[in-house]
Amino acid sequence: MSSLRLLIALSFFCSFLAAINSQNCDREQQASEIRNFLRIGDFEGAKEWLEDHSNCTFDSTSFDQWLLDFEISRNRRKGRSALAAAERAASLTDESALLDNKIEVCLALAEAYSMRRQVAAGRQQLQQAQVLLTERASSSLLEGRISYIEGILLRHDPTQAEAGRAAFRAAIQQLTQSKGEEIFILGLMLRTLGNSARNAGDFPLSAGYYQQELALYQANYPANHNEIAFAYYHLGAVYYEMQDYQVALDHFLLSFHIWKEYPTADNRYWRYLCEAIGDMYWELADRTNALYYYDLAAEVTSLASLDSSSNLTLQADTLLTNGQTQEALFFYQQALDFRMANYGAQHPLTASCRAYVAKAKAANHDTLAALADYQSVIQSSTVDFDSSDPHDNPPADAAVINLNTLLEAMSGKGSLLLELALEQDDQTTLEAAANCLQRSIDFLELLRRKPLSDPAKLFWNQRSTQLIEAAIRADIELYELYTDEAYLERAFLTNEKGNSFLLLSAMRTEAAIAFAGVPRSITDDEHELRNAILTYEQKVLAEENRCQSAREKQLDLWREKLSSLRLEYEQLLFQIEQDYPSYFALKFAPAPHLLSDWQSVLGQEQMALISYFQGEEQLYLFLLTEATIQLIEVDDLSSFPQDIQLYMSLISEPETLIRNSRSSYRSFSQIGFRLYEQLLAKALAACPNDIDRLIIIPSAELASLPFSLLLQTAVAEEVADFRKLPYLLINYAISYASSATVWLEANRTIKSRTGSSYRGFAANTDYDTTLQLSALQYAEEEIIQGQSIFGGQTFVGPTATERVFRQSNADILHLATHTLIDDELPLQSSLLLAPDDTHDGRLQAFELYELSLNNQLAILSACATATGEWVQSEGQVGLERAFQYAGTAALLTTFWAVDDQASAVLVQYFLEELQAGQPKDQALRQAKLRYLQIADPATAIPYLWGAYRLSGDPRPFQPKSWWSSKWWIAFLLLPVGLFLGWRKFYSLRATNNSAAASH
């Protein structure tokens, strides 16, 4: 009996405990606990908590349990477990289930199937979820999840990879708007987009995605979270790709400090990281630290199944850079053997590794073996190309699976063939080299015309110099062999490919809109987004370069905004390419020009075009006239950079000339004549006698050289008199352009505004005493003279505001003001106007990109407005280029700091010549000659009058025709009024005569 009582008591006690326990098991509360684990990225903790409390919180038939189990497994990247959990949740859902539960199950199944690459099943579940969504109000959270799953499904199809990335970008925007807890999904998509951009060669865009991923984790996860370490690691890797070793090292070290707390013996990323840090210290010449981190990496025993080839190639890269070719080849070959065994010969990773091996063999002078390896890479990088002939190249329509590797292999092969042809004097090999190099340039064009970010296009442009130089050299050799001008034409067009690509895209926008019929709202959105991106890029750069410590919170916000804008712009660009392919092609991939296009314009104007290409080993110039094309090789470059530097210091620093006039005059004369002989003498000797106008397309150091001041004959050492020197401008009018294509397209149409012909601005700087700039005593006089010649309007002092300029609608814009030139950040150079209630008066170069000036001429009568950072293949970046982006056809700018009084005189002469109908380049030439005629020996030094240059469209100013102005109505109505008045007069006279007769 006592035993029975005890059993009953125990039964009641257990029931009591179960009742208490059930009261404590609140499903919503327990689900919230799991959500807290997920929110901070503790996926293992969420799994353990779910297992420990499953009996309390859920039972085996709980729908919620399996959905949470799916999410935890998904976040732990356990695809098999995630699918099992999603299928269990689906088995517990019937027709009577809530609509939201049905949708959740469909989405979970679709995602789980997509993770397992079961595309058809995933697509079916996604479509079912979309059907169910029609029965309820949608939300940005659900739309984001659908876009995310759509992106995964699309990315499983190689032909739909870009559409998959577009779906990811849409999902990021939608999930960001929802302010939900989908941190894992957001981070995964950002990392995937970063990896894709990095693989496509868009390293700046890749870094932007990785930074956005890092910011997401930092805002939600603990500071030592593994995903934060991975984000730092990927950022370090992409900065290493961009050869920014110090920034790469900084990010690698941040990752190191997190991972060092829990490395494991088989953690390959720990080994990769230590080796990468060692590589960065090696590149930065810190051998002690490099050795320390290499030793740390060696302590980790890598499993045979893990891919160590990436680090082997990194080590080989370093050795090859330092000239240790044999040692580099050893590491490259090890990496190649690993990838051949694990991935196969056709895998992109194997192909890229074989390209490294070929490069090392070439550096080790094993030319034939290197050629064979390059050919193997080309075969494996093109789907429908299987030739083993080392002289053969893939057809134009070959399907490319690895564009970056193919470009490296073809350019490497072409350069080796050229080297071999020159050594053996073999014309067959020479033709093969030229063909291969041209195919390489074609592939480079494909890469540049992909939807890469602007910084990425600049990056690849700068890497194209060696390839273009080799291609030009091959065509020159073929021309000398066959005397066929077709080879020179191809060399000239090769030089033009990619030149000022970004500027040309901006210039072509209006024509593309008109022809392709794309809605203006779309292009306005594109324009606004590009400008917003540029604005925030400059804000970030300025903040990072502050003399004091950068304001980190503000900097983080700007970086976050910049990443968001880049994401939005990339999505918009993809949509434009899909919906308006004609516009996209016209803007980014127009039909190439023919040589005859330039020659027809040159013949009409009696001009010659001289285009320079400065490679790593040689300087060439192309002379193009109406009838011929010639190529001239500059032979001796030994004193070339020093001559330009000394020449510019003599011109732009008047104190030197005045203090030591005799010696400086002699140096100026000697260097001026020597540069003329090097750069122009042969070309001008080949020009027809009737040519008196030159278009100069400079390269590198030549962009800062005032060609009009070069001397055409040697000068005897007599009395120093700058008025009597044989300047080039005596016989030639000279204008500049950043590329021959930019010049040609600027000459196609005359731009005309509907407003006044002229607007002049002369601002003072009294509003900001911190600038400590001298007063411009003659600036007001300068623009008043302009108004007296062309009419229009002038704005002086406080009325010359930035707002008024931004709203200007005139064919000629004339600014006589101060500049603030930023040599390190040229897009932050500024023209000083008067402030207003919304603008600070500092009109920065990057702010001009948002304007639509579309005018014929801008006169920047201020200091050093023609200067800027030289960017390979894009020209000088600064104020002049910014005005070109805004639609200005021609600019009058300055090479150096100019004198206020002399500028007023020179610009007045220029405007008078322009108003008389002279072409702009001739007007500038005549203005300088007129100045020299009135100058005395003291005011004739080139510093005072030689700074101005003309760039862009050199044709005469085209004032508005009378029929294009509002006065044409008056001209039409005048004869009508006279006729009606005459009729009325005679009618009244007849009436009066009749009345008189009746009397």
Side-chain angles (χ1 to χ4, degrees):
M1 185 68 181
S2 60
S3 297
L4 180 60
R5 288 177 180 174
L6 179 61
L7 286 173
I8 292 172
L10 285 172
S11 175
F12 276 112
F13 181 71
C14 290
S15 299
F16 174 72
L17 289 178
I20 294 175
N21 195 35
S22 65
Q23 291 175 6
N24 291 334
C25 293
D26 184 331
R27 286 193 176 190
E28 290 187 6
Q29 180 183 349
Q30 304 302 344
S32 177
E33 292 289 339
I34 294 177
R35 290 287 176 201
N36 287 334
F37 280 107
L38 296 177
R39 191 177 295 112
I40 63 171
D42 188 358
F43 309 135
E44 297 299 328
K47 181 66 175 176
E48 292 174 6
W49 199 98
L50 181 63
E51 292 173 348
D52 291 345
H53 295 76
S54 60
N55 293 332
C56 169
T57 311
F58 307 105
D59 56 37
S60 60
T61 62
S62 170
F63 169 87
D64 295 334
Q65 175 185 358
W66 294 111
L67 277 185
L68 280 170
D69 198 4
F70 156 76
E71 189 173 346
I72 293 169
S73 298
R74 185 269 313 275
N75 290 16
R76 296 172 65 231
R77 294 177 171 83
K78 305 292 185 182
R80 192 187 303 275
S81 300
L83 180 57
E87 288 176 337
R88 186 61 187 270
S91 70
L92 300 174
T93 308
D94 54 25
E95 290 298 322
S96 63
L98 296 174
L99 178 61
D100 283 357
N101 290 351
K102 293 179 182 178
I103 293 171
E104 287 292 334
V105 167
C106 287
L107 290 177
L109 281 171
E111 188 176 348
Y113 284 132
S114 67
M115 290 174 66
R116 299 289 295 164
R117 295 183 176 270
Q118 299 178 30
V119 176
R123 176 70 62 191
Q124 181 181 2
Q125 291 296 328
L126 184 61
Q127 290 171 348
Q128 189 172 340
Q130 290 171 317
V131 170
L132 291 171
L133 272 171
T134 60
E135 302 177 23
R136 60 154 287 174
S138 186
S139 67
S140 56
L141 176 60
L142 287 172
E143 290 171 355
R145 291 182 61 191
I146 288 172
S147 296
Y148 161 66
I149 297 167
E150 180 73 27
I152 301 176
L153 294 170
L154 287 170
R155 284 177 56 80
H156 289 320
D157 180 354
T159 65
Q160 296 292 317
E162 180 52 42
R165 289 190 284 272
F168 275 2
R169 292 190 292 265
I172 291 170
Q173 291 175 317
Q174 291 156 346
L175 291 175
T176 303
Q177 292 170 4
S178 74
K179 300 186 184 301
E181 299 175 358
E182 302 292 345
I183 299 165
F184 171 81
I185 293 177
L186 281 169
L188 182 65
M189 289 189 292
L190 289 167
R191 183 173 298 176
T192 302
L193 290 171
N195 292 341
S196 296
R198 182 180 170 195
N199 292 336
D202 197 334
F203 303 134
L205 182 63
S206 174
Y209 282 127
Y210 291 147
Q211 285 167 344
Q212 201 170 350
E213 178 198 10
L214 175 62
L216 174 72
Y217 294 145
Q218 288 176 325
N220 294 280
Y221 291 172
N224 64 342
H225 197 279
N226 194 46
E227 296 297 343
I228 292 179
F230 265 113
Y232 283 133
Y233 176 82
H234 287 128
L235 275 168
V238 79
Y239 281 115
Y240 176 42
E241 297 272 19
M242 291 189 284
Q243 301 175 1
D244 195 342
Y245 301 126
Q246 184 59 58
V247 177
L249 174 62
D250 294 341
H251 284 88
F252 282 143
L253 287 173
L254 288 168
S255 181
F256 176 84
H257 291 312
I258 297 174
W259 276 346
K260 73 177 181 180
E261 300 299 328
Y262 46 86
T264 58
D266 61 349
N267 187 343
R268 66 184 185 277
Y269 286 105
W270 173 250
R271 179 188 175 192
Y272 293 171
L273 176 63
C274 292
E275 289 181 345
I277 294 173
D279 285 341
M280 295 307 96
Y281 277 120
W282 180 278
E283 297 290 356
L284 295 168
D286 186 342
R287 302 294 189 263
T288 303
N289 273 314
L291 179 62
Y292 172 76
Y293 283 97
Y294 283 144
D295 287 342
L296 281 182
E299 293 174 5
V300 182
T301 304
S302 178
L303 300 181
S305 61
L306 298 179
D307 183 359
S308 60
S309 58
S310 295
N311 289 294
L312 291 169
T313 59
L314 287 176
Q315 287 177 295
D317 285 343
T318 301
L319 291 167
L320 191 62
T321 302
N322 286 277
Q324 297 171 263
T325 56
Q326 193 62 46
E327 293 86 346
L329 181 57
F330 172 77
F331 283 105
Y332 282 137
Q333 191 64 54
Q334 276 194 320
L336 177 60
D337 292 342
F338 176 90
R339 291 184 181 181
M340 285 285 290
N342 287 275
Y343 303 136
Q346 300 301 313
H347 196 280
L349 287 175
T350 305
S352 65
C353 196
R354 191 179 292 278
Y356 296 145
V357 171
K359 182 171 63 174
K361 288 180 179 178
N364 208 34
H365 306 294
D366 193 352
T367 303
L368 294 179
L371 281 173
D373 280 329
Y374 277 136
Q375 186 63 16
S376 179
V377 173
I378 294 168
Q379 286 176 247
S380 61
S381 299
T382 48
V383 175
D384 54 0
F385 176 64
D386 58 3
S387 173
S388 59
D389 184 352
H391 289 179
D392 201 5
N393 292 305
D397 57 353
V400 177
I401 60 173
N402 195 334
L403 185 57
N404 293 357
T405 300
L406 179 62
L407 174 63
E408 182 176 350
M410 290 194 68
S411 60
K413 171 188 164 183
S415 298
L416 275 182
L417 285 172
L418 177 60
E419 180 182 315
L420 197 62
L422 296 177
E423 285 179 1
Q424 300 177 354
D425 195 20
D426 183 348
Q427 67 186 53
T428 302
T429 304
L430 179 60
E431 289 173 353
N435 180 46
C436 185
L437 290 165
Q438 286 298 322
R439 298 288 293 128
S440 303
I441 291 171
D442 290 342
F443 281 112
L444 180 64
E445 289 293 285
L446 284 177
L447 183 62
R448 272 197 294 238
R449 297 184 195 286
K450 288 169 66 179
L452 304 180
S453 64
D454 286 359
K457 289 172 182 174
L458 289 175
F459 176 83
W460 286 107
N461 278 351
Q462 291 171 44
R463 289 204 167 184
S464 67
T465 304
Q466 281 186 319
L467 172 60
I468 290 175
E469 185 173 9
I472 291 174
R473 178 71 184 279
D475 280 332
I476 292 170
E477 295 291 338
L478 286 169
Y479 171 71
E480 292 177 349
L481 184 64
Y482 298 115
T483 63
D484 184 351
E485 280 196 359
Y487 290 113
L488 285 189
E489 178 176 353
R490 189 167 72 175
F492 174 78
L493 296 176
T494 295
N495 187 30
E496 274 301 297
K497 283 183 179 178
N499 271 357
S500 299
F501 180 77
L502 301 179
L503 177 57
L504 282 167
S505 295
M507 292 174 63
R508 289 167 176 157
T509 298
E510 291 299 321
I513 292 169
F515 184 84
V518 62
R520 192 78 205 197
S521 59
I522 298 292
T523 57
D524 285 346
D525 287 345
E526 181 195 354
H527 183 71
E528 289 175 9
L529 273 173
R530 282 177 59 85
N531 292 333
I533 289 170
L534 183 61
T535 297
Y536 276 95
E537 283 176 344
Q538 295 305 309
K539 285 183 176 181
V540 168
L541 281 172
E543 188 63 28
E544 288 175 342
N545 285 273
R546 277 167 56 90
C547 295
Q548 302 85 10
S549 298
R551 295 163 291 191
E552 289 300 329
K553 291 182 179 179
Q554 183 169 299
L555 189 56
D556 288 343
L557 286 174
W558 284 343
R559 284 172 176 160
E560 182 180 337
K561 180 64 175 178
L562 179 58
S563 297
S564 174
L565 288 169
R566 283 174 172 163
L567 186 73
E568 189 177 350
Y569 179 70
E570 193 181 5
Q571 185 72 355
L572 176 63
L573 206 61
F574 172 76
Q575 200 62 48
I576 290 174
E577 186 177 13
Q578 298 298 306
D579 296 345
Y580 307 100
S582 297
Y583 166 77
F584 195 87
L586 283 169
K587 182 173 180 179
F588 295 107
H593 291 294
L594 302 175
L595 196 67
S596 57
D597 295 336
W598 282 278
Q599 290 179 319
S600 62
V601 178
L602 292 170
Q604 296 167 17
E605 304 290 342
Q606 293 184 315
M607 305 175 86
L609 184 146
I610 298 175
S611 178
Y612 292 88
F613 175 77
Q614 188 168 346
E616 295 186 0
E617 298 179 1
Q618 194 61 45
L619 176 64
Y620 303 102
L621 69 87
F622 294 90
L623 171 66
L624 193 61
T625 64
E626 178 186 12
T628 63
I629 177 172
Q630 298 186 50
L631 185 135
I632 297 168
E633 200 169 319
V634 178
D635 298 322
D636 182 15
L637 296 180
S638 57
S639 63
F640 178 64
Q642 295 81 5
D643 277 352
I644 292 180
Q645 185 177 3
L646 179 56
Y647 195 63
M648 292 305 298
S649 68
L650 289 169
I651 300 171
S652 60
E653 299 172 7
E655 296 83 3
T656 305
L657 288 175
I658 295 169
R659 183 173 60 251
N660 192 6
S661 59
R662 184 74 179 178
S663 174
S664 298
Y665 180 81
R666 185 186 306 114
S667 297
F668 176 84
S669 303
Q670 291 172 348
I671 298 173
F673 178 58
R674 185 160 64 238
L675 288 172
Y676 169 79
E677 284 195 308
Q678 282 184 307
L679 300 173
L680 284 174
K682 293 179 182 178
L684 296 185
C687 279
N689 293 330
D690 60 345
I691 286 179
D692 63 351
R693 301 169 68 193
L694 304 176
I695 306 104
I696 302 292
I697 315 296
S699 178
E701 294 98 333
L702 298 180
S704 63
L705 181 66
F707 279 76
S708 64
L709 299 184
L710 299 182
L711 306 182
Q712 290 187 264
T713 59
V715 178
E717 293 187 19
E718 298 177 356
V719 177
D721 191 344
F722 285 97
R723 296 171 298 178
K724 298 179 181 179
L725 289 176
Y727 299 111
L728 186 63
L729 71 92
I730 293 173
N731 296 316
Y732 295 96
I734 295 172
S735 61
Y736 295 77
S738 57
S739 80
T741 308
V742 166
W743 175 83
L744 179 64
E745 298 199 7
N747 276 263
R748 289 290 176 89
T749 58
I750 290 288
K751 297 187 176 185
S752 185
R753 304 289 295 187
T754 57
S756 63
S757 293
Y758 175 90
R759 270 197 172 192
F761 296 82
N764 57 44
T765 57
D766 297 343
Y767 62 88
D768 192 344
T769 57
T770 62
L771 295 175
Q772 297 182 343
L773 297 172
S774 60
L776 298 175
Q777 299 178 14
Y778 296 89
E780 182 177 341
E781 177 184 328
E782 182 178 323
I783 65 166
I784 290 174
Q785 285 289 343
Q787 184 185 30
S788 69
I789 296 169
F790 286 100
Q793 299 169 285
T794 58
F795 301 89
V796 178
T799 68
T801 64
E802 186 175 342
R803 178 193 286 116
V804 172
F805 174 82
R806 286 171 174 268
Q807 297 170 349
S808 291
N809 188 15
D811 287 321
I812 298 177
L813 291 172
H814 182 177
L815 293 95
T817 182
H818 278 296
T819 54
L820 295 177
I821 301 299
D822 192 325
D823 294 324
E824 293 185 0
L825 303 174
L827 284 181
Q828 297 191 25
S829 297
S830 56
L831 289 158
L832 298 185
L833 296 166
D836 51 60
D837 54 358
T838 55
H839 304 97
D840 61 4
R842 298 189 183 192
L843 181 64
Q844 292 181 288
F846 73 86
E847 293 178 304
L848 286 158
Y849 283 58
E850 70 188 56
L851 304 182
S852 181
L853 300 176
N854 289 320
N855 58 320
Q856 291 188 46
L857 174 66
I859 301 171
L860 307 186
S861 187
C863 294
T865 51
T867 61
E869 178 189 9
W870 175 263
V871 177
Q872 181 66 38
S873 297
E874 280 297 320
Q876 282 180 296
V877 177
L879 287 166
E880 183 178 277
R881 183 181 176 84
F883 271 89
Q884 289 177 307
Y885 258 90
T888 296
L891 286 114
L892 188 66
T893 53
T894 58
F895 282 110
W896 54 78
V898 292
D899 178 79
D900 181 25
Q901 183 177 6
S903 292
V905 174
L906 191 75
V907 173
Q908 177 187 337
Y909 290 164
F910 169 75
L911 291 173
E912 288 173 352
E913 296 289 338
L914 199 64
Q915 199 275 337
Q918 289 272 23
K920 301 183 193 76
D921 55 345
Q922 290 283 21
L924 181 59
R925 171 174 171 258
Q926 292 297 331
K928 291 179 178 179
L929 292 175
R930 285 174 61 182
Y931 181 95
L932 283 175
Q933 287 174 358
I934 66 166
D936 58 34
T939 58
I941 59 174
Y943 164 77
L944 293 174
W945 57 270
Y948 283 88
R949 79 168 193 178
L950 183 86
S951 60
D953 178 10
R955 290 174 297 175
F957 172 66
Q958 298 290 326
K960 293 178 178 63
S961 302
W962 66 269
W963 57 81
S964 68
S965 70
K966 62 184 179 180
W967 297 106
W968 71 270
I969 300 175
F971 282 108
L972 288 177
L973 292 179
L974 180 61
V976 176
L978 290 174
F979 175 73
L980 292 175
W982 176 81
R983 286 191 60 184
K984 186 172 183 180
F985 171 76
Y986 277 97
S987 175
L988 288 172
R989 183 176 178 181
T991 301
N992 292 335
N993 289 341
S994 175
S998 65
H999 285 292

